[in-house]
Amino acid sequence: MTDTDTTHWIATVRYADLARRRRTRVELGDRAVALFLVGDRVFAFDDVCVHKGRSLARGVVWQGRVVCPAHQWAFDPETGRAEGRDECQPVHDVRIVDGVVHVDPRPRSHEEI
Amino acid sequence: MPDLPRSLVTVGAGQAAVAAVRMLRRRGFDGPVTVLSDEPHLPYQRPPLSKDFLTGESGSADLVLLDEAWAAANDVVLRPGSAAAAVAPGEVVLADGSRIDADAVLLATGVRARTLPGLAGERVLHLRTVADATRLRDALPAVERLAVVGGGLIGAEVASSARARGIDVTVLEAGQLPMLGQLGPGMAGFCADLARDHGVDLRCGQEIGSIEETADGVVIRTAAGPVAADLVVVAVGSVPNDELARAAGIATDPVRGGIVVDDACRTSAPGVFAAGDVATRAAGEGYLRIEHVDNATTQGGTVARALLGKPTPPAEAPWFWSDQYDLNLQFVGHAPADAEIVIRGSVTERDFTAFYLADGCVRAAFAVERGGDVPAARRLLALGTPVPREALADDDQDLFDLLDSITA
């Protein structure tokens, strides 16, 4: 579990806006993060795909996974693991506070997953 | 029910063989697995060979699909540099005369680059293997003018990579437009414009005559005049490596080659499967062979399921992607002749999906920087019923919402 006392949560978009569009790209300092709505939960990934560096944010949620638009790699939203492969897309913790999506700018480490 | 196979040998170590082997181990197949390759390398992928490998952005280490550590941890025997000389149900004979027994054999031998008569020499290269790509990559720094014969995906990607390195490129395409058969006139025209806008001298409808070596390069004779270049890449399609099957009396497509397989990738010989670029399926009155990496991965998985006694998943529409001139292109389905095209997005901004309709039903889609539309496009293809054109063309209409409203 991430130590919430030391997590510097960054406020991004309103949950209601994300719920409408289902996905969006936000910038946390120098790191771009793609937010996706899967069901009614928000998941956050590094926007730059581990495969060939394309932007995940123009992808879609399909069959419960986040699909990168460039080569259709399908990522598990909980772990970032690419389906059928060894690669993992870095994922970030998300908190909804007062209707606003907050994201931990540090990706979750592998021990935490 | 017959016993499931207890061991597997793959003849070939490309995408299809690797996909089969990975899935087998992931799903608990614990029998002996041997992966044979006639190349002296670890199993590797080919898509980067015409793209980032040529530009130097990635190297041979980035190509590896299975390494020794994975093989050791998963009890898979990798045998590079081990060409097969013959196959039969239950065994593979290697070129050195040794034999490997296996309950199941997977022929995943792929294809080789097609050559053109008269187009050969030190300055004429083909592209299929990492050795080919390495030779081409290492030659490019000394090349000012590159001629590419063939305007298909490989030719276009090689041209794109060469342009990225500042090389003058002439592409000679036999058809009236590049990819005309696959994309239809409208979208083939888009691809032609894309190449020209990036400085490629694209010449279509060209009959190639002969090639002559000069003091410092080559001259390709064409009906429309000579083309001078320092180096030529010939990218005019492929020839399936189905010789082992033919020699074994296994059914192949008599017209275009390729090993005939059923839905579960079984060949006409019991216990012998085929998958990937070399495999061909009955389609209409002929056969259809798909030479894209997604098909190899999918068919590898199909072989694994068959070996595990699991049902074959329903076939999906063929899909391919190409990265060229900094654009991501994807295509799913089969474009019918005289298809009606509906554009979603902007062609001028090179950010669109072109839907191909026949009788109002979506039959194919060509996505430019719109791979996010592909999952929905696959479902639209599978509908088999007419889809409202205005909704397809309306960027504010979410395609999944459209699907829900149609299927509700």
Side-chain angles (χ1 to χ4, degrees), chain A residues 22 52 54 58 60 62 69-72 86, chain B residues 22 52 319 321 323 328 330 369 371 379 401:
Chain A
R22 298 190 197 141
K52 295 290 176 183
R54 299 281 182 149
R58 299 196 75 199
V60 287
W62 173 234
H71 308 97
Q72 309 296 324
D86 296 332
Chain B
R22 279 183 164 262
D52 35 300
W319 166 66
W321 52 268
D323 292 325
N328 174 259
Q330 298 186 35
E369 292 289 290
R379 281 187 62 197
D401 288 343

mmCIF file with all atom_site columns, all heavy atoms in Angstrom, chain A residues 22 52 54 58 60 62 69-72 86, chain B residues 22 52 319 321 323 328 330 369 371 379 401:
data_model
loop_
_atom_site.group_PDB
_atom_site.id
_atom_site.type_symbol
_atom_site.label_atom_id
_atom_site.label_alt_id
_atom_site.label_comp_id
_atom_site.label_asym_id
_atom_site.label_entity_id
_atom_site.label_seq_id
_atom_site.pdbx_PDB_ins_code
_atom_site.Cartn_x
_atom_site.Cartn_y
_atom_site.Cartn_z
_atom_site.occupancy
_atom_site.B_iso_or_equiv
_atom_site.pdbx_formal_charge
_atom_site.auth_seq_id
_atom_site.auth_comp_id
_atom_site.auth_asym_id
_atom_site.auth_atom_id
_atom_site.pdbx_PDB_model_num
ATOM 1   N N   . ARG A 1 22  ? -14.944 9.264   -20.783 1.00 0.00 ? 22  ARG A N   1
ATOM 2   C CA  . ARG A 1 22  ? -14.408 7.922   -20.516 1.00 0.00 ? 22  ARG A CA  1
ATOM 3   C C   . ARG A 1 22  ? -12.894 7.832   -20.551 1.00 0.00 ? 22  ARG A C   1
ATOM 4   O O   . ARG A 1 22  ? -12.322 6.860   -20.067 1.00 0.00 ? 22  ARG A O   1
ATOM 5   C CB  . ARG A 1 22  ? -14.972 6.872   -21.461 1.00 0.00 ? 22  ARG A CB  1
ATOM 6   C CG  . ARG A 1 22  ? -16.449 6.739   -21.322 1.00 0.00 ? 22  ARG A CG  1
ATOM 7   C CD  . ARG A 1 22  ? -16.966 5.551   -22.059 1.00 0.00 ? 22  ARG A CD  1
ATOM 8   N NE  . ARG A 1 22  ? -18.402 5.688   -22.244 1.00 0.00 ? 22  ARG A NE  1
ATOM 9   C CZ  . ARG A 1 22  ? -19.050 5.336   -23.337 1.00 0.00 ? 22  ARG A CZ  1
ATOM 10  N NH1 . ARG A 1 22  ? -18.385 4.845   -24.350 1.00 0.00 ? 22  ARG A NH1 1
ATOM 11  N NH2 . ARG A 1 22  ? -20.340 5.479   -23.411 1.00 0.00 ? 22  ARG A NH2 1
ATOM 12  N N   . LYS A 1 52  ? 5.864   0.901   -28.275 1.00 0.00 ? 52  LYS A N   1
ATOM 13  C CA  . LYS A 1 52  ? 6.570   1.763   -29.231 1.00 0.00 ? 52  LYS A CA  1
ATOM 14  C C   . LYS A 1 52  ? 6.400   3.242   -28.915 1.00 0.00 ? 52  LYS A C   1
ATOM 15  O O   . LYS A 1 52  ? 6.557   4.088   -29.800 1.00 0.00 ? 52  LYS A O   1
ATOM 16  C CB  . LYS A 1 52  ? 6.085   1.489   -30.666 1.00 0.00 ? 52  LYS A CB  1
ATOM 17  C CG  . LYS A 1 52  ? 6.420   0.101   -31.168 1.00 0.00 ? 52  LYS A CG  1
ATOM 18  C CD  . LYS A 1 52  ? 7.911   -0.062  -31.413 1.00 0.00 ? 52  LYS A CD  1
ATOM 19  C CE  . LYS A 1 52  ? 8.255   -1.486  -31.824 1.00 0.00 ? 52  LYS A CE  1
ATOM 20  N NZ  . LYS A 1 52  ? 9.685   -1.694  -32.002 1.00 0.00 ? 52  LYS A NZ  1
ATOM 21  N N   . ARG A 1 54  ? 3.784   5.154   -28.182 1.00 0.00 ? 54  ARG A N   1
ATOM 22  C CA  . ARG A 1 54  ? 2.631   5.954   -28.612 1.00 0.00 ? 54  ARG A CA  1
ATOM 23  C C   . ARG A 1 54  ? 1.784   6.342   -27.399 1.00 0.00 ? 54  ARG A C   1
ATOM 24  O O   . ARG A 1 54  ? 1.944   5.809   -26.320 1.00 0.00 ? 54  ARG A O   1
ATOM 25  C CB  . ARG A 1 54  ? 1.783   5.150   -29.593 1.00 0.00 ? 54  ARG A CB  1
ATOM 26  C CG  . ARG A 1 54  ? 2.537   4.763   -30.850 1.00 0.00 ? 54  ARG A CG  1
ATOM 27  C CD  . ARG A 1 54  ? 2.614   5.899   -31.822 1.00 0.00 ? 54  ARG A CD  1
ATOM 28  N NE  . ARG A 1 54  ? 3.285   5.535   -33.053 1.00 0.00 ? 54  ARG A NE  1
ATOM 29  C CZ  . ARG A 1 54  ? 2.991   6.072   -34.237 1.00 0.00 ? 54  ARG A CZ  1
ATOM 30  N NH1 . ARG A 1 54  ? 2.025   6.950   -34.339 1.00 0.00 ? 54  ARG A NH1 1
ATOM 31  N NH2 . ARG A 1 54  ? 3.667   5.708   -35.301 1.00 0.00 ? 54  ARG A NH2 1
ATOM 32  N N   . ARG A 1 58  ? -5.437  7.898   -26.527 1.00 0.00 ? 58  ARG A N   1
ATOM 33  C CA  . ARG A 1 58  ? -6.376  7.799   -27.630 1.00 0.00 ? 58  ARG A CA  1
ATOM 34  C C   . ARG A 1 58  ? -6.872  6.367   -27.802 1.00 0.00 ? 58  ARG A C   1
ATOM 35  O O   . ARG A 1 58  ? -7.506  6.032   -28.802 1.00 0.00 ? 58  ARG A O   1
ATOM 36  C CB  . ARG A 1 58  ? -5.731  8.302   -28.921 1.00 0.00 ? 58  ARG A CB  1
ATOM 37  C CG  . ARG A 1 58  ? -5.315  9.760   -28.829 1.00 0.00 ? 58  ARG A CG  1
ATOM 38  C CD  . ARG A 1 58  ? -5.045  10.347  -30.194 1.00 0.00 ? 58  ARG A CD  1
ATOM 39  N NE  . ARG A 1 58  ? -6.291  10.605  -30.897 1.00 0.00 ? 58  ARG A NE  1
ATOM 40  C CZ  . ARG A 1 58  ? -6.415  10.782  -32.205 1.00 0.00 ? 58  ARG A CZ  1
ATOM 41  N NH1 . ARG A 1 58  ? -5.351  10.712  -32.973 1.00 0.00 ? 58  ARG A NH1 1
ATOM 42  N NH2 . ARG A 1 58  ? -7.586  11.014  -32.758 1.00 0.00 ? 58  ARG A NH2 1
ATOM 43  N N   . VAL A 1 60  ? -8.896  2.814   -26.113 1.00 0.00 ? 60  VAL A N   1
ATOM 44  C CA  . VAL A 1 60  ? -10.241 2.574   -25.589 1.00 0.00 ? 60  VAL A CA  1
ATOM 45  C C   . VAL A 1 60  ? -10.192 1.479   -24.544 1.00 0.00 ? 60  VAL A C   1
ATOM 46  O O   . VAL A 1 60  ? -9.230  0.723   -24.456 1.00 0.00 ? 60  VAL A O   1
ATOM 47  C CB  . VAL A 1 60  ? -11.226 2.119   -26.689 1.00 0.00 ? 60  VAL A CB  1
ATOM 48  C CG1 . VAL A 1 60  ? -11.607 3.254   -27.600 1.00 0.00 ? 60  VAL A CG1 1
ATOM 49  C CG2 . VAL A 1 60  ? -10.684 0.943   -27.478 1.00 0.00 ? 60  VAL A CG2 1
ATOM 50  N N   . TRP A 1 62  ? -11.762 -1.941  -23.703 1.00 0.00 ? 62  TRP A N   1
ATOM 51  C CA  . TRP A 1 62  ? -12.433 -3.001  -24.469 1.00 0.00 ? 62  TRP A CA  1
ATOM 52  C C   . TRP A 1 62  ? -12.304 -4.287  -23.694 1.00 0.00 ? 62  TRP A C   1
ATOM 53  O O   . TRP A 1 62  ? -11.199 -4.688  -23.341 1.00 0.00 ? 62  TRP A O   1
ATOM 54  C CB  . TRP A 1 62  ? -11.776 -3.097  -25.846 1.00 0.00 ? 62  TRP A CB  1
ATOM 55  C CG  . TRP A 1 62  ? -12.206 -4.224  -26.724 1.00 0.00 ? 62  TRP A CG  1
ATOM 56  C CD1 . TRP A 1 62  ? -11.388 -5.140  -27.311 1.00 0.00 ? 62  TRP A CD1 1
ATOM 57  C CD2 . TRP A 1 62  ? -13.528 -4.561  -27.127 1.00 0.00 ? 62  TRP A CD2 1
ATOM 58  N NE1 . TRP A 1 62  ? -12.123 -6.016  -28.052 1.00 0.00 ? 62  TRP A NE1 1
ATOM 59  C CE2 . TRP A 1 62  ? -13.451 -5.689  -27.964 1.00 0.00 ? 62  TRP A CE2 1
ATOM 60  C CE3 . TRP A 1 62  ? -14.791 -4.028  -26.874 1.00 0.00 ? 62  TRP A CE3 1
ATOM 61  C CZ2 . TRP A 1 62  ? -14.570 -6.293  -28.545 1.00 0.00 ? 62  TRP A CZ2 1
ATOM 62  C CZ3 . TRP A 1 62  ? -15.901 -4.628  -27.454 1.00 0.00 ? 62  TRP A CZ3 1
ATOM 63  C CH2 . TRP A 1 62  ? -15.780 -5.737  -28.265 1.00 0.00 ? 62  TRP A CH2 1
ATOM 64  N N   . PRO A 1 69  ? -3.985  2.331   -28.771 1.00 0.00 ? 69  PRO A N   1
ATOM 65  C CA  . PRO A 1 69  ? -4.468  2.436   -30.145 1.00 0.00 ? 69  PRO A CA  1
ATOM 66  C C   . PRO A 1 69  ? -3.446  2.043   -31.202 1.00 0.00 ? 69  PRO A C   1
ATOM 67  O O   . PRO A 1 69  ? -3.833  1.638   -32.291 1.00 0.00 ? 69  PRO A O   1
ATOM 68  C CB  . PRO A 1 69  ? -4.820  3.926   -30.278 1.00 0.00 ? 69  PRO A CB  1
ATOM 69  C CG  . PRO A 1 69  ? -3.993  4.612   -29.257 1.00 0.00 ? 69  PRO A CG  1
ATOM 70  C CD  . PRO A 1 69  ? -3.880  3.649   -28.117 1.00 0.00 ? 69  PRO A CD  1
ATOM 71  N N   . ALA A 1 70  ? -2.171  2.140   -30.886 1.00 0.00 ? 70  ALA A N   1
ATOM 72  C CA  . ALA A 1 70  ? -1.162  1.971   -31.943 1.00 0.00 ? 70  ALA A CA  1
ATOM 73  C C   . ALA A 1 70  ? -1.043  0.534   -32.435 1.00 0.00 ? 70  ALA A C   1
ATOM 74  O O   . ALA A 1 70  ? -0.973  0.306   -33.648 1.00 0.00 ? 70  ALA A O   1
ATOM 75  C CB  . ALA A 1 70  ? 0.191   2.477   -31.458 1.00 0.00 ? 70  ALA A CB  1
ATOM 76  N N   . HIS A 1 71  ? -0.980  -0.444  -31.538 1.00 0.00 ? 71  HIS A N   1
ATOM 77  C CA  . HIS A 1 71  ? -0.818  -1.830  -31.960 1.00 0.00 ? 71  HIS A CA  1
ATOM 78  C C   . HIS A 1 71  ? -1.743  -2.774  -31.196 1.00 0.00 ? 71  HIS A C   1
ATOM 79  O O   . HIS A 1 71  ? -1.518  -3.981  -31.163 1.00 0.00 ? 71  HIS A O   1
ATOM 80  C CB  . HIS A 1 71  ? 0.655   -2.265  -31.831 1.00 0.00 ? 71  HIS A CB  1
ATOM 81  C CG  . HIS A 1 71  ? 1.588   -1.313  -32.517 1.00 0.00 ? 71  HIS A CG  1
ATOM 82  N ND1 . HIS A 1 71  ? 2.247   -0.315  -31.843 1.00 0.00 ? 71  HIS A ND1 1
ATOM 83  C CD2 . HIS A 1 71  ? 1.909   -1.160  -33.826 1.00 0.00 ? 71  HIS A CD2 1
ATOM 84  C CE1 . HIS A 1 71  ? 2.947   0.398   -32.708 1.00 0.00 ? 71  HIS A CE1 1
ATOM 85  N NE2 . HIS A 1 71  ? 2.773   -0.088  -33.919 1.00 0.00 ? 71  HIS A NE2 1
ATOM 86  N N   . GLN A 1 72  ? -2.746  -2.184  -30.542 1.00 0.00 ? 72  GLN A N   1
ATOM 87  C CA  . GLN A 1 72  ? -3.808  -2.949  -29.875 1.00 0.00 ? 72  GLN A CA  1
ATOM 88  C C   . GLN A 1 72  ? -3.304  -3.807  -28.718 1.00 0.00 ? 72  GLN A C   1
ATOM 89  O O   . GLN A 1 72  ? -3.914  -4.828  -28.391 1.00 0.00 ? 72  GLN A O   1
ATOM 90  C CB  . GLN A 1 72  ? -4.579  -3.824  -30.903 1.00 0.00 ? 72  GLN A CB  1
ATOM 91  C CG  . GLN A 1 72  ? -5.081  -3.067  -32.124 1.00 0.00 ? 72  GLN A CG  1
ATOM 92  C CD  . GLN A 1 72  ? -6.120  -1.995  -31.815 1.00 0.00 ? 72  GLN A CD  1
ATOM 93  O OE1 . GLN A 1 72  ? -6.959  -2.150  -30.947 1.00 0.00 ? 72  GLN A OE1 1
ATOM 94  N NE2 . GLN A 1 72  ? -6.067  -0.878  -32.523 1.00 0.00 ? 72  GLN A NE2 1
ATOM 95  N N   . ASP A 1 86  ? 5.072   -10.255 -21.467 1.00 0.00 ? 86  ASP A N   1
ATOM 96  C CA  . ASP A 1 86  ? 5.754   -10.004 -20.200 1.00 0.00 ? 86  ASP A CA  1
ATOM 97  C C   . ASP A 1 86  ? 5.762   -8.537  -19.812 1.00 0.00 ? 86  ASP A C   1
ATOM 98  O O   . ASP A 1 86  ? 6.033   -8.197  -18.666 1.00 0.00 ? 86  ASP A O   1
ATOM 99  C CB  . ASP A 1 86  ? 7.207   -10.492 -20.290 1.00 0.00 ? 86  ASP A CB  1
ATOM 100 C CG  . ASP A 1 86  ? 7.280   -12.006 -20.477 1.00 0.00 ? 86  ASP A CG  1
ATOM 101 O OD1 . ASP A 1 86  ? 6.347   -12.692 -20.032 1.00 0.00 ? 86  ASP A OD1 1
ATOM 102 O OD2 . ASP A 1 86  ? 8.261   -12.478 -21.075 1.00 0.00 ? 86  ASP A OD2 1
ATOM 103 N N   . ARG B 2 22  ? 4.511   -20.141 -25.922 1.00 0.00 ? 22  ARG B N   1
ATOM 104 C CA  . ARG B 2 22  ? 4.204   -19.361 -24.712 1.00 0.00 ? 22  ARG B CA  1
ATOM 105 C C   . ARG B 2 22  ? 2.853   -19.752 -24.137 1.00 0.00 ? 22  ARG B C   1
ATOM 106 O O   . ARG B 2 22  ? 2.691   -19.942 -22.931 1.00 0.00 ? 22  ARG B O   1
ATOM 107 C CB  . ARG B 2 22  ? 4.191   -17.868 -25.041 1.00 0.00 ? 22  ARG B CB  1
ATOM 108 C CG  . ARG B 2 22  ? 5.559   -17.241 -25.087 1.00 0.00 ? 22  ARG B CG  1
ATOM 109 C CD  . ARG B 2 22  ? 5.436   -15.757 -25.346 1.00 0.00 ? 22  ARG B CD  1
ATOM 110 N NE  . ARG B 2 22  ? 6.672   -15.080 -25.040 1.00 0.00 ? 22  ARG B NE  1
ATOM 111 C CZ  . ARG B 2 22  ? 6.917   -14.450 -23.904 1.00 0.00 ? 22  ARG B CZ  1
ATOM 112 N NH1 . ARG B 2 22  ? 6.001   -14.384 -22.993 1.00 0.00 ? 22  ARG B NH1 1
ATOM 113 N NH2 . ARG B 2 22  ? 8.082   -13.876 -23.699 1.00 0.00 ? 22  ARG B NH2 1
ATOM 114 N N   . ASP B 2 52  ? 12.063  0.833   -37.065 1.00 0.00 ? 52  ASP B N   1
ATOM 115 C CA  . ASP B 2 52  ? 13.061  1.383   -36.152 1.00 0.00 ? 52  ASP B CA  1
ATOM 116 C C   . ASP B 2 52  ? 14.411  0.698   -36.212 1.00 0.00 ? 52  ASP B C   1
ATOM 117 O O   . ASP B 2 52  ? 15.416  1.297   -35.870 1.00 0.00 ? 52  ASP B O   1
ATOM 118 C CB  . ASP B 2 52  ? 12.517  1.450   -34.710 1.00 0.00 ? 52  ASP B CB  1
ATOM 119 C CG  . ASP B 2 52  ? 11.598  0.293   -34.349 1.00 0.00 ? 52  ASP B CG  1
ATOM 120 O OD1 . ASP B 2 52  ? 10.559  0.146   -35.044 1.00 0.00 ? 52  ASP B OD1 1
ATOM 121 O OD2 . ASP B 2 52  ? 11.894  -0.419  -33.400 1.00 0.00 ? 52  ASP B OD2 1
ATOM 122 N N   . TRP B 2 319 ? -6.406  -8.302  -39.573 1.00 0.00 ? 319 TRP B N   1
ATOM 123 C CA  . TRP B 2 319 ? -6.033  -6.966  -39.124 1.00 0.00 ? 319 TRP B CA  1
ATOM 124 C C   . TRP B 2 319 ? -4.556  -6.769  -39.358 1.00 0.00 ? 319 TRP B C   1
ATOM 125 O O   . TRP B 2 319 ? -3.774  -7.670  -39.136 1.00 0.00 ? 319 TRP B O   1
ATOM 126 C CB  . TRP B 2 319 ? -6.363  -6.831  -37.636 1.00 0.00 ? 319 TRP B CB  1
ATOM 127 C CG  . TRP B 2 319 ? -5.747  -5.653  -36.964 1.00 0.00 ? 319 TRP B CG  1
ATOM 128 C CD1 . TRP B 2 319 ? -6.013  -4.331  -37.211 1.00 0.00 ? 319 TRP B CD1 1
ATOM 129 C CD2 . TRP B 2 319 ? -4.753  -5.663  -35.944 1.00 0.00 ? 319 TRP B CD2 1
ATOM 130 N NE1 . TRP B 2 319 ? -5.249  -3.541  -36.391 1.00 0.00 ? 319 TRP B NE1 1
ATOM 131 C CE2 . TRP B 2 319 ? -4.463  -4.328  -35.592 1.00 0.00 ? 319 TRP B CE2 1
ATOM 132 C CE3 . TRP B 2 319 ? -4.066  -6.685  -35.270 1.00 0.00 ? 319 TRP B CE3 1
ATOM 133 C CZ2 . TRP B 2 319 ? -3.540  -3.980  -34.626 1.00 0.00 ? 319 TRP B CZ2 1
ATOM 134 C CZ3 . TRP B 2 319 ? -3.143  -6.351  -34.291 1.00 0.00 ? 319 TRP B CZ3 1
ATOM 135 C CH2 . TRP B 2 319 ? -2.891  -5.009  -33.985 1.00 0.00 ? 319 TRP B CH2 1
ATOM 136 N N   . TRP B 2 321 ? -1.259  -3.603  -39.191 1.00 0.00 ? 321 TRP B N   1
ATOM 137 C CA  . TRP B 2 321 ? -0.859  -2.232  -38.905 1.00 0.00 ? 321 TRP B CA  1
ATOM 138 C C   . TRP B 2 321 ? 0.438   -1.929  -39.625 1.00 0.00 ? 321 TRP B C   1
ATOM 139 O O   . TRP B 2 321 ? 1.172   -2.823  -40.002 1.00 0.00 ? 321 TRP B O   1
ATOM 140 C CB  . TRP B 2 321 ? -0.699  -1.997  -37.400 1.00 0.00 ? 321 TRP B CB  1
ATOM 141 C CG  . TRP B 2 321 ? 0.181   -2.981  -36.688 1.00 0.00 ? 321 TRP B CG  1
ATOM 142 C CD1 . TRP B 2 321 ? -0.209  -4.139  -36.075 1.00 0.00 ? 321 TRP B CD1 1
ATOM 143 C CD2 . TRP B 2 321 ? 1.591   -2.900  -36.490 1.00 0.00 ? 321 TRP B CD2 1
ATOM 144 N NE1 . TRP B 2 321 ? 0.856   -4.774  -35.522 1.00 0.00 ? 321 TRP B NE1 1
ATOM 145 C CE2 . TRP B 2 321 ? 1.984   -4.042  -35.745 1.00 0.00 ? 321 TRP B CE2 1
ATOM 146 C CE3 . TRP B 2 321 ? 2.578   -1.983  -36.857 1.00 0.00 ? 321 TRP B CE3 1
ATOM 147 C CZ2 . TRP B 2 321 ? 3.299   -4.285  -35.389 1.00 0.00 ? 321 TRP B CZ2 1
ATOM 148 C CZ3 . TRP B 2 321 ? 3.893   -2.226  -36.486 1.00 0.00 ? 321 TRP B CZ3 1
ATOM 149 C CH2 . TRP B 2 321 ? 4.243   -3.369  -35.763 1.00 0.00 ? 321 TRP B CH2 1
ATOM 150 N N   . ASP B 2 323 ? 3.520   1.321   -39.498 1.00 0.00 ? 323 ASP B N   1
ATOM 151 C CA  . ASP B 2 323 ? 3.991   2.628   -39.024 1.00 0.00 ? 323 ASP B CA  1
ATOM 152 C C   . ASP B 2 323 ? 4.884   3.209   -40.096 1.00 0.00 ? 323 ASP B C   1
ATOM 153 O O   . ASP B 2 323 ? 5.935   2.650   -40.404 1.00 0.00 ? 323 ASP B O   1
ATOM 154 C CB  . ASP B 2 323 ? 4.760   2.479   -37.706 1.00 0.00 ? 323 ASP B CB  1
ATOM 155 C CG  . ASP B 2 323 ? 3.864   2.053   -36.561 1.00 0.00 ? 323 ASP B CG  1
ATOM 156 O OD1 . ASP B 2 323 ? 2.690   2.485   -36.543 1.00 0.00 ? 323 ASP B OD1 1
ATOM 157 O OD2 . ASP B 2 323 ? 4.328   1.293   -35.696 1.00 0.00 ? 323 ASP B OD2 1
ATOM 158 N N   . ASN B 2 328 ? 0.507   6.125   -37.810 1.00 0.00 ? 328 ASN B N   1
ATOM 159 C CA  . ASN B 2 328 ? 0.116   4.762   -37.505 1.00 0.00 ? 328 ASN B CA  1
ATOM 160 C C   . ASN B 2 328 ? -1.094  4.417   -38.364 1.00 0.00 ? 328 ASN B C   1
ATOM 161 O O   . ASN B 2 328 ? -2.131  5.080   -38.272 1.00 0.00 ? 328 ASN B O   1
ATOM 162 C CB  . ASN B 2 328 ? -0.213  4.651   -36.016 1.00 0.00 ? 328 ASN B CB  1
ATOM 163 C CG  . ASN B 2 328 ? -0.772  3.305   -35.627 1.00 0.00 ? 328 ASN B CG  1
ATOM 164 O OD1 . ASN B 2 328 ? -1.979  3.149   -35.459 1.00 0.00 ? 328 ASN B OD1 1
ATOM 165 N ND2 . ASN B 2 328 ? 0.101   2.328   -35.489 1.00 0.00 ? 328 ASN B ND2 1
ATOM 166 N N   . GLN B 2 330 ? -3.788  1.380   -39.677 1.00 0.00 ? 330 GLN B N   1
ATOM 167 C CA  . GLN B 2 330 ? -4.295  0.059   -39.357 1.00 0.00 ? 330 GLN B CA  1
ATOM 168 C C   . GLN B 2 330 ? -5.441  -0.281  -40.309 1.00 0.00 ? 330 GLN B C   1
ATOM 169 O O   . GLN B 2 330 ? -6.144  0.604   -40.773 1.00 0.00 ? 330 GLN B O   1
ATOM 170 C CB  . GLN B 2 330 ? -4.807  -0.008  -37.910 1.00 0.00 ? 330 GLN B CB  1
ATOM 171 C CG  . GLN B 2 330 ? -3.704  0.264   -36.903 1.00 0.00 ? 330 GLN B CG  1
ATOM 172 C CD  . GLN B 2 330 ? -4.126  0.064   -35.471 1.00 0.00 ? 330 GLN B CD  1
ATOM 173 O OE1 . GLN B 2 330 ? -4.924  -0.815  -35.157 1.00 0.00 ? 330 GLN B OE1 1
ATOM 174 N NE2 . GLN B 2 330 ? -3.573  0.888   -34.595 1.00 0.00 ? 330 GLN B NE2 1
ATOM 175 N N   . GLU B 2 369 ? -3.995  7.048   -37.566 1.00 0.00 ? 369 GLU B N   1
ATOM 176 C CA  . GLU B 2 369 ? -3.865  7.653   -36.235 1.00 0.00 ? 369 GLU B CA  1
ATOM 177 C C   . GLU B 2 369 ? -5.146  7.474   -35.421 1.00 0.00 ? 369 GLU B C   1
ATOM 178 O O   . GLU B 2 369 ? -5.411  8.239   -34.516 1.00 0.00 ? 369 GLU B O   1
ATOM 179 C CB  . GLU B 2 369 ? -3.514  9.159   -36.351 1.00 0.00 ? 369 GLU B CB  1
ATOM 180 C CG  . GLU B 2 369 ? -2.129  9.436   -36.905 1.00 0.00 ? 369 GLU B CG  1
ATOM 181 C CD  . GLU B 2 369 ? -1.046  9.053   -35.912 1.00 0.00 ? 369 GLU B CD  1
ATOM 182 O OE1 . GLU B 2 369 ? -0.913  9.733   -34.885 1.00 0.00 ? 369 GLU B OE1 1
ATOM 183 O OE2 . GLU B 2 369 ? -0.328  8.067   -36.174 1.00 0.00 ? 369 GLU B OE2 1
ATOM 184 N N   . GLY B 2 371 ? -6.236  4.209   -34.177 1.00 0.00 ? 371 GLY B N   1
ATOM 185 C CA  . GLY B 2 371 ? -6.313  2.819   -33.743 1.00 0.00 ? 371 GLY B CA  1
ATOM 186 C C   . GLY B 2 371 ? -7.331  2.605   -32.643 1.00 0.00 ? 371 GLY B C   1
ATOM 187 O O   . GLY B 2 371 ? -7.814  1.497   -32.436 1.00 0.00 ? 371 GLY B O   1
ATOM 188 N N   . ARG B 2 379 ? -16.231 -4.902  -34.087 1.00 0.00 ? 379 ARG B N   1
ATOM 189 C CA  . ARG B 2 379 ? -17.600 -5.290  -33.743 1.00 0.00 ? 379 ARG B CA  1
ATOM 190 C C   . ARG B 2 379 ? -18.571 -4.856  -34.832 1.00 0.00 ? 379 ARG B C   1
ATOM 191 O O   . ARG B 2 379 ? -19.540 -5.558  -35.120 1.00 0.00 ? 379 ARG B O   1
ATOM 192 C CB  . ARG B 2 379 ? -18.001 -4.674  -32.404 1.00 0.00 ? 379 ARG B CB  1
ATOM 193 C CG  . ARG B 2 379 ? -17.421 -5.444  -31.210 1.00 0.00 ? 379 ARG B CG  1
ATOM 194 C CD  . ARG B 2 379 ? -17.974 -4.927  -29.902 1.00 0.00 ? 379 ARG B CD  1
ATOM 195 N NE  . ARG B 2 379 ? -19.423 -5.093  -29.810 1.00 0.00 ? 379 ARG B NE  1
ATOM 196 C CZ  . ARG B 2 379 ? -20.191 -4.446  -28.923 1.00 0.00 ? 379 ARG B CZ  1
ATOM 197 N NH1 . ARG B 2 379 ? -19.641 -3.586  -28.090 1.00 0.00 ? 379 ARG B NH1 1
ATOM 198 N NH2 . ARG B 2 379 ? -21.491 -4.642  -28.896 1.00 0.00 ? 379 ARG B NH2 1
ATOM 199 N N   . ASP B 2 401 ? -21.260 3.419   -28.161 1.00 0.00 ? 401 ASP B N   1
ATOM 200 C CA  . ASP B 2 401 ? -22.656 3.788   -27.897 1.00 0.00 ? 401 ASP B CA  1
ATOM 201 C C   . ASP B 2 401 ? -23.500 3.439   -29.114 1.00 0.00 ? 401 ASP B C   1
ATOM 202 O O   . ASP B 2 401 ? -24.641 2.960   -28.987 1.00 0.00 ? 401 ASP B O   1
ATOM 203 C CB  . ASP B 2 401 ? -22.775 5.285   -27.599 1.00 0.00 ? 401 ASP B CB  1
ATOM 204 C CG  . ASP B 2 401 ? -22.208 5.659   -26.242 1.00 0.00 ? 401 ASP B CG  1
ATOM 205 O OD1 . ASP B 2 401 ? -22.032 4.737   -25.413 1.00 0.00 ? 401 ASP B OD1 1
ATOM 206 O OD2 . ASP B 2 401 ? -21.945 6.855   -26.021 1.00 0.00 ? 401 ASP B OD2 1
#
